[in-house]
Amino acid sequence: MKIVVIGTGYVGLVQGVCLAELGNEVACVDLDEAKITKLKNGESPIYEPGIEELIKKNLKQERIFFDTSLKKHLKNAEIVFIAVGTPSDGKGKADLKYVTAAAEDIGKNLNHYAIIVNKSTVPIGTGEMVKNTIKKYYKEDFDVVSNPEFLKEGAALDDFFHPDRVVIGVNGSKKAAERIAELYKVLNCPIVVTNLETAEMIKYASNSYLATQISFINSIANICEKVGADVTDVSRGMKLDKRIGERAFLNAGIGYGGSCFPKDVSAMVEIAKESKENFRILEEVEATNKEQRQKFIKKIVDNLGKIQGKRIAVWGIAFKAKTDDIREAPAITIIESLQNLGAEVLAYDPVAEENARRVMPDVIYVSRPQDACKKADALVIVTDWDEFKQVDLKAIASLMKNKYIFDGRNIYDSDEVKKTGFKYYGIGR
Ligand code: NAD
């Protein structure tokens, strides 16, 4: 099929490259010239394991094209994906300005039947808005489909090729839904076909539920600390219940961050309000999540004493492992709070340093984890990168002035760490 993808961010780029890998001819369009120049040279503007190899391979096979102009590629397209950002508008709602602009661009340049597929996470009713926006400029036949994205950064290629499910929402046109289903048939997964509104809701409901699990287990963790229970064992015991499940989001830590959960949870709360419904559980999920970062900072302060003049090593800046994405990353809140209290922060992240430098220029960035620890008063684990899990903690301890570990992700066995001479503080243990 001939496909256009608008937006080459974490979602659009993966979608475009993977559809090309399946044999489709794909044009990826972005307004960001710097991104397009990199991509034309076979370089990925984001860190996502495996993506650069696929970009290079499909460029060579002439199945993928990168451009800043939609017009040129729209004329042959059967399917046009909208994969632009939907950040928070600052008041909790999703800002739809990029989706609206993309829809206008399509409307102004379309000259034949095409299926417009919305991949961005958008409030319920946006599919109809996109339809009406295009209609203002293009009066002939076209269809709008919702096909929300469920990928996890860091595992995005695997999620594309082995999805748990594909959701397709459409109002009216059965043929459009069938055509999109055909595109994904080869992935051999359940395909859920619904109306537009239901598909849009499935995405918000899924992210809201996953975020709820995180705040739930963090609340359990906070009680564990008071009553002498260990949340990592509680979580293991819970996940073995098949109704809860092995892959449940029940790892206690410093709360969720990233480009999706924070904005999608607050957008869901706002959608509920607009529907004159209270989503009290979700309001608490948000509040608990904010508190969780503050509790971690308090734990550091309570145990280290005066922070002024202390040298603190931070391992991990990305909002989770295997990505360079630092949007809403807990590391930002934690580092900035420690700096405001007078600490000197040395930070290490294997891939997020470039993004972090733009947001936090006053941090001392180092290129090896151990370099952050020299003469440090404490080591703070913020992201659960694999490379932190089996370091020689005895060697790390020997570099440090004071031997404290604050493990925000519970990556270490507390008893083992204590044997290395560290004072260990995890979450909920
Ligand atoms: P992103 O910010 O990484 O990328 C968006 C891209 O769209 C940018 O490169 C931007 O330049 C481009 N763009 C904006 N307006 C444009 C226009 N009119 N024409 C061409 N390009 C345009 O965003 P993302 O993380 O890829 O997220 C995209 C959407 O997918 C959001 O709605 C998000 O909520 C959703 N989503 C994201 C993830 C994730 O893990 N990142 C997962 C599932 C769903």
Side-chain angles (χ1 to χ4, degrees), residues 6-11 29-32 35 83-86 98 102 120-121 149 151 153 203 259-260 263 327:
I6 305 178
T8 60
Y10 290 83
V11 166
V29 177
D30 204 291
L31 299 175
D32 186 332
K35 273 192 188 175
V84 299
T86 48
Y98 301 112
S120 301
T121 303
E149 180 55 60
L151 67 77
E153 288 176 17
K203 176 64 193 173
S259 62
C260 292
K263 76 170 175 64
R327 289 177 281 186

